[in-house]
Amino acid sequence: MISNNEIISASTALQKGECVAFPTETVYGLGADATNDNAVAQIYAIKNRPDFNPLIVHVANIDDAKKYAAFNAAAEKLAKYFWPGELTLVLPRNENCILSLLVSAGLPTVAIRVPNHPLAQALLKESGVPIAAPSANISGRVSPTTAAHVHEELGGKIAHILDGGACDVGLESTVVDVTGDVPVILRPGGITKEQIAQYCALGAYAPTAIASPGMLESHYAPNAALRLDATTVDQSEALLAFGKVTMPTTHIHVRNLSERGDLKEAAANLFRMLRELDKTGAKCIAVMTIPEEGLGVAINDRLKRAAAPRQP
Ligand code: TXA
Ligand code: MG
């Protein structure tokens, strides 16, 4: 359990412009005071992140969000039903918005989320600052879902890593652009399009000049190559399974995302199992087919990017 003292010292660090890694219900974030340019620049530096990728700002509640950005009717509705939770809204910045322009990477919009994790909420309340936080990994690599993963990725580079155990959801938030008349999903995530469509009509995603890191071709990648839709597995490969496994798997490393074929369980296990199989030293991870429905859409999105040709 995290002590109140740890929350207080992490909050003090944030207020001083330092970076703090903290758990959310989706993945661990690398946080900094979103109103402090230097602090936000630190995030980009620590992650090695291309600077055209904007960041998500975490706030305690919708009233805090409204200090920085404008909500139309659809945004209000989605915030009402899904906050706190794994939904990020891309909103127009208010004219007097005090958030660093760096979090928007030059765009007139800002991505905001109210996390539903007691430690994230405690940190927001204690520090009193909005927290810019991408996933706490080196840019392009697998997102961390435990504090140990954060140590593997960024240990030595940051002074504070709050340990809140394993993340419940295990996949990043769903990013929805609500700046226009019709909301558009920019990145599939923990909340499915079916869930969102219960509350408002959704427009189709049209790729624009807006770079979303979730939209970069290669992302979420382990060291090993990935081979998707595997129905067989080679001796030199490791296997990331889903559901019942009928192919022979003696002598190879296997992780099963969900033996009972449950997509929620699979999402929660995805990044951890990719890391575990990567550590076996296998050159390639064969991945069984995941159904393209519900949370499977976000899981397949991450897998496709992890399998994409790597950037130099
Ligand atoms: O679950 C999550 O969302 C985690 C936890 C820590 O909250 N955070 C996360 O942040 O995944 P990050 O930086 O890895 O992903 C931010 C996503 C990217 O796809 C980015 O392009 C998009 O949000 N984004 C941020 N600001 C945007 C903006 N103004 N316009 C369009 N997309 C934006
Ligand atoms: Mg990320």
Side-chain angles (χ1 to χ4, degrees):
M1 264 311 281
I2 287 272
S3 70
N4 210 27
N5 278 345
E6 277 176 273
I7 299 279
I8 291 170
S9 72
S11 297
T12 310
L14 282 175
Q15 290 161 346
K16 285 198 295 198
E18 292 166 19
C19 289
V20 169
F22 66 99
T24 80
E25 71 277 30
T26 59
V27 300
Y28 275 71
L30 176 63
D33 177 355
T35 65
N36 178 331
D37 290 327
N38 286 326
V40 177
Q42 247 326 76
I43 295 179
Y44 286 95
I46 291 174
K47 277 187 65 101
N48 254 336
R49 182 164 176 138
D51 61 3
F52 47 80
N53 290 333
L55 304 173
I56 295 172
V57 176
H58 300 70
V59 297
N61 51 52
I62 186 169
D63 290 336
D64 282 355
K66 286 181 175 172
K67 294 179 192 163
Y68 311 116
F71 283 67
N72 61 18
E76 283 272 358
K77 213 173 190 180
L78 293 178
K80 177 167 176 236
Y81 288 109
F82 294 108
W83 280 358
E86 58 268 34
L87 179 76
T88 294
L89 296 175
V90 173
L91 303 151
R93 289 173 69 108
N94 285 338
E95 208 156 315
N96 58 354
C97 176
I98 61 164
L99 297 176
S100 165
L101 287 168
L102 256 185
V103 299
S104 297
L107 298 168
T109 54
V110 60
I112 302 188
R113 174 165 111 79
V114 175
N116 183 22
H117 189 290
L119 276 183
Q121 280 287 341
L123 196 59
L124 285 163
K125 289 192 180 116
E126 180 64 34
S127 68
V129 300
I131 304 177
S135 48
N137 51 276
I138 300 295
S139 200
R141 288 180 36 83
V142 182
S143 303
T145 56
T146 66
H149 296 165
V150 181
H151 278 282
E152 279 171 33
E153 290 283 322
L154 306 175
K157 291 188 173 181
I158 42 177
H160 293 270
I161 299 177
L162 294 180
D163 187 348
C167 302
D168 279 347
V169 180
L171 276 181
E172 292 83 352
S173 60
T174 305
V175 179
V176 181
D177 182 333
V178 278
T179 58
D181 295 335
V182 194
V184 173
I185 294 182
L186 298 182
R187 177 179 75 179
I191 288 176
T192 64
K193 65 174 187 298
E194 290 81 8
Q195 283 175 287
I196 295 173
Q198 284 185 300
Y199 301 104
C200 63
L202 277 169
Y205 172 71
T208 62
I210 312 175
S212 267
M215 299 297 148
L216 288 179
E217 264 297 275
S218 172
H219 207 81
Y220 311 102
N223 294 314
L226 251 70
R227 187 168 66 78
L228 304 183
D229 291 321
T231 49
T232 58
V233 60
D234 188 84
Q235 283 296 311
S236 66
E237 295 178 317
L239 178 68
L240 187 61
F242 178 80
K244 197 166 158 19
V245 181
T246 50
M247 61 187 101
T249 56
T250 21
H251 304 308
I252 63 165
H253 292 282
V254 180
R255 291 288 182 286
N256 199 324
L257 289 169
S258 173
E259 275 170 37
R260 56 195 161 97
D262 179 76
L263 288 166
K264 193 161 184 285
E265 182 181 35
N269 285 333
L270 177 67
F271 290 138
R272 175 175 55 81
M273 290 184 173
L274 277 175
R275 267 174 202 277
E276 288 171 357
L277 291 178
D278 210 16
K279 278 198 191 138
T280 66
K283 291 276 176 292
C284 184
I285 301 171
V287 186
M288 285 171 64
T289 301
I290 315 290
E292 181 73 3
E293 63 189 38
L295 272 179
V297 175
I299 295 173
N300 283 324
D301 171 80
R302 304 305 188 270
L303 286 170
K304 270 182 232 145
R305 291 174 205 291
R310 308 291 159 80
Q311 280 130 3

